[in-house]
Amino acid sequence: MDPKASLTAPNAIREMIRAGDYSGPTNGFVPGFTQCNIVILPKAYAFDFQRYCQNNHDCCPLLATSVNDGEFHLDALGSNIDIRHDVPKYRVLRDGQLVDEVTDIKQIWREDFVTFALASYVAFDYVLNTYGFDTTTSSPAHTLPMYISNIPSLQVGPFKSNKVVCLRPMDTQEIIRAIQAGSISRVPHGIPVHFGNPAEIGINNLQKPNFGDPIFIPENKQPVFWTTSLTAHLAITRAAPELCIINSPQHMLVTDRPDMDLLIQ
Amino acid sequence: MDPKASLTAPNAIREMIRAGDYSGPTNGFVPGFTQCNIVILPKAYAFDFQRYCQNNHDCCPLLATSVNDGEFHLDALGSNIDIRHDVPKYRVLRDGQLVDEVTDIKQIWREDFVTFALASYVAFDYVLNTYGFDTTTSSPAHTLPMYISNIPSLQVGPFKSNKVVCLRPMDTQEIIRAIQAGSISRVPHGIPVHFGNPAEIGINNLQKPNFGDPIFIPENKQPVFWTTSLTAHLAITRAAPELCIINSPQHMLVTDRPDMDLLIQ
């Protein structure tokens, strides 16, 4: 895949966003190219956050960290990324509280900022599609329902949170094949944490997700749960650093890296 | 595998080392259980070092970071590890220079120490054996020859080094099967960086390795090179932090985690 092949290519999408011409969600854009959730923190919090991801890599799979403090490129994910502009919508959090939602963070960029890119659950939707799963089960364009489970992540410094999980309805054969697909592909967020009774992981009402949209579960299917990187966002809200910038939900960084390419490193 | 099954089990070996009864190399001990290279740094260097490993995970695959500063346990790798005692021999480096070699670091332990555990190339020897490779090609008990290549790692902060590679002689069919074994198992250090002409990666005399023992290369085989975590040790020597503790070569931390277990997370 050539990341510059067409106007629907990652590079072209980032240029459009950088120019201020698009500020919407990135769901369904160039399936097969990795989209990332972004966390930008002052350096004082960066080591603990990185260590949190390292110790909770099932729910917070870190794909890249900016190499130098204050650096706004992420060469590991694309040659011309400028993280100050290339996300369609950012949330600015002060002391863990949302204070602003903006399309550009150049004005508030600081020399001590460190950028983290985390894998999104969307990559596994792409894998499931590749393995022939029905798009009603798994569509990269749909926002899955997400729930705050009762499964704790390992606390590191001020960062702790229960794991945020997403739901895909599947029948028994699909569950088996999905676990195979996750194991073979080794895509982040590819192995479920639970299926069957949602109450066992602290979810009492499937129709009221904490994030995303509710989903219809046919009678022959059961709810299957996978971790999502929203766990990291939740941990940050609770750690309440003086300043933090994250992408708005579903407004992710579109990278030049094919999902499959990340897996053969 | 039960890590407490016998006196040759990881737990028993660590107890023997902790009691001061053994201070020799760990090569060949309980094959199949992960052995780690250890790096202990003051917190001031820890974030850059972790970021260095993150950005160079092919040569510095980080298996665990201590969760809290000053913590001497590594629960991710074994329930009762005490990193102040459980490595048979430590090297103490001040400003990058070796100043002491000791069997215990309790006396010099500091509350700002952060411990990093990196995967060793030995795990891939175990995988190769599992896949039926001859032990003359690959024996977990033998120390492979290692060379400082001309392949740079990505610099992060003060940490930079050319990649240190180890050599295993293989014929064409073995090279193909070894790349398959590395790809399927996804064990750290499992994919070669080069084979054929050593000069292409800056190695001019195979009989004079920078570390480890020379190896005989039969006429029908060619040298194949994989990264090793010594890259991290070399980067530390060059960064010259005020204080750093590493394990002596071949004197590694024996963990409770089967090599294969680390791969299904």
Side-chain angles (χ1 to χ4, degrees):
Chain A
M1 283 190 279
D2 175 357
K4 295 185 193 171
S6 78
L7 273 173
T8 56
N11 192 57
I13 287 172
R14 287 201 307 276
E15 276 178 24
M16 187 170 75
I17 292 166
R18 198 177 311 147
D21 294 334
Y22 183 77
S23 58
T26 52
N27 311 38
F29 279 14
V30 280
F33 284 97
T34 297
Q35 296 194 15
C36 294
N37 285 301
I38 296 295
V39 169
I40 301 169
L41 281 166
K43 186 170 186 180
Y45 301 90
F47 176 53
D48 274 344
F49 181 71
Q50 185 165 269
R51 193 155 44 157
Y52 175 77
C53 294
Q54 163 86 15
N55 278 285
N56 293 286
H57 55 82
D58 62 326
C59 49
C60 305
L62 201 50
L63 295 184
T65 307
S66 54
V67 175
N68 300 300
D69 307 335
E71 186 171 325
F72 39 80
H73 301 298
L74 279 173
D75 289 345
L77 300 177
S79 58
N80 64 346
I81 290 172
D82 185 334
I83 202 65
R84 302 170 303 173
H85 310 279
D86 287 4
V87 169
K89 207 172 280 175
Y90 304 81
R91 288 186 169 177
V92 181
L93 285 74
R94 292 191 189 274
D95 302 319
Q97 301 295 312
L98 177 67
V99 294
D100 207 358
E101 194 158 34
V102 295
T103 58
D104 194 294
I105 54 169
K106 191 174 178 186
Q107 297 306 319
I108 56 171
W109 188 259
R110 287 176 15 183
E111 283 308 303
D112 70 335
F113 275 175
V114 180
T115 302
F116 301 92
L118 292 104
S120 151
Y121 71 69
V122 173
F124 190 52
D125 281 319
Y126 176 73
V127 167
L128 289 174
N129 285 177
T130 305
Y131 281 105
F133 277 72
D134 195 303
T135 53
T136 59
T137 300
S138 148
S139 159
H142 183 80
T143 303
L144 297 175
M146 287 170 273
Y147 308 86
I148 302 173
S149 75
N150 65 7
I151 308 168
S153 63
L154 186 73
Q155 177 171 2
V156 176
F159 299 103
K160 67 170 176 176
S161 166
N162 283 353
K163 294 183 183 181
V164 180
V165 297
C166 63
L167 183 168
R168 296 179 182 92
M170 292 190 175
D171 65 29
T172 307
Q173 290 308 310
E174 286 171 331
I175 293 172
I176 294 168
R177 290 186 57 243
I179 296 171
Q180 285 185 284
S183 303
I184 293 168
S185 70
R186 294 192 65 100
V187 78
H189 302 303
I191 309 297
V193 290
H194 184 63
F195 60 85
N197 181 5
E200 277 185 34
I201 58 168
I203 300 169
N204 296 313
N205 189 343
L206 290 183
Q207 288 315 306
K208 291 195 175 167
N210 298 95
F211 315 96
D213 307 323
I215 200 169
F216 172 70
I217 303 181
E219 209 177 326
N220 64 330
K221 302 206 176 188
Q222 49 183 318
V224 191
F225 300 95
W226 287 260
T227 57
T228 85
S229 295
L230 270 193
T231 310
H233 284 187
L234 199 62
I236 282 169
T237 309
R238 288 175 178 176
E242 40 126 347
L243 178 61
C244 176
I245 300 164
I246 59 178
N247 60 293
S248 300
Q250 283 81 58
H251 293 67
M252 289 186 280
L253 175 71
V254 179
T255 78
D256 288 348
R257 300 292 300 274
D259 289 318
M260 293 299 138
D261 178 35
L262 286 169
L263 306 173
I264 59 166
Q265 282 189 328
Chain B
M1 283 191 280
D2 175 357
K4 295 184 193 173
S6 78
L7 273 173
T8 55
N11 192 56
I13 287 172
R14 288 201 306 276
E15 276 178 25
M16 186 170 76
I17 292 167
R18 198 177 311 146
D21 293 334
Y22 183 77
S23 59
T26 53
N27 311 40
F29 280 13
V30 280
F33 285 97
T34 297
Q35 296 195 15
C36 293
N37 285 301
I38 297 295
V39 169
I40 301 169
L41 281 166
K43 187 170 185 179
Y45 301 90
F47 177 54
D48 274 345
F49 181 71
Q50 185 165 269
R51 193 155 44 158
Y52 175 77
C53 294
Q54 163 84 16
N55 278 285
N56 294 287
H57 54 83
D58 62 325
C59 49
C60 305
L62 201 50
L63 294 184
T65 306
S66 55
V67 175
N68 300 300
D69 307 335
E71 186 171 325
F72 38 80
H73 301 299
L74 279 173
D75 289 345
L77 300 177
S79 58
N80 64 345
I81 290 173
D82 185 334
I83 202 65
R84 302 170 303 173
H85 309 279
D86 287 5
V87 169
K89 208 172 278 175
Y90 304 82
R91 288 187 168 176
V92 182
L93 285 74
R94 291 191 189 274
D95 302 320
Q97 300 295 312
L98 177 67
V99 294
D100 208 358
E101 194 158 33
V102 295
T103 58
D104 195 293
I105 54 169
K106 191 175 177 186
Q107 297 306 320
I108 56 171
W109 188 260
R110 287 176 15 184
E111 283 308 303
D112 70 335
F113 275 174
V114 180
T115 302
F116 301 92
L118 292 104
S120 151
Y121 71 69
V122 173
F124 190 52
D125 281 319
Y126 176 72
V127 167
L128 289 174
N129 284 178
T130 304
Y131 281 104
F133 277 73
D134 196 304
T135 53
T136 58
T137 299
S138 148
S139 159
H142 183 80
T143 303
L144 296 175
M146 288 170 272
Y147 308 86
I148 302 172
S149 75
N150 65 7
I151 308 168
S153 63
L154 186 72
Q155 177 171 4
V156 176
F159 298 103
K160 67 170 177 176
S161 166
N162 283 353
K163 295 183 182 180
V164 180
V165 296
C166 63
L167 183 167
R168 296 180 183 91
M170 293 190 175
D171 65 29
T172 307
Q173 290 307 310
E174 287 171 331
I175 293 172
I176 294 169
R177 291 186 58 243
I179 296 171
Q180 285 186 285
S183 303
I184 293 169
S185 69
R186 295 192 63 100
V187 78
H189 302 303
I191 309 297
V193 290
H194 183 65
F195 60 85
N197 181 5
E200 277 185 34
I201 58 168
I203 300 169
N204 296 313
N205 188 342
L206 290 183
Q207 288 315 306
K208 292 195 176 167
N210 298 95
F211 314 96
D213 307 323
I215 200 169
F216 172 70
I217 303 181
E219 209 177 327
N220 64 331
K221 302 206 176 190
Q222 49 184 316
V224 191
F225 299 95
W226 288 261
T227 57
T228 85
S229 295
L230 271 193
T231 310
H233 285 187
L234 199 62
I236 282 169
T237 309
R238 289 177 177 173
E242 40 127 346
L243 178 62
C244 176
I245 299 164
I246 59 178
N247 61 292
S248 299
Q250 283 81 59
H251 293 66
M252 289 186 280
L253 175 71
V254 180
T255 78
D256 288 347
R257 301 292 300 274
D259 289 319
M260 293 299 139
D261 179 35
L262 285 169
L263 306 173
I264 60 166
Q265 282 188 328

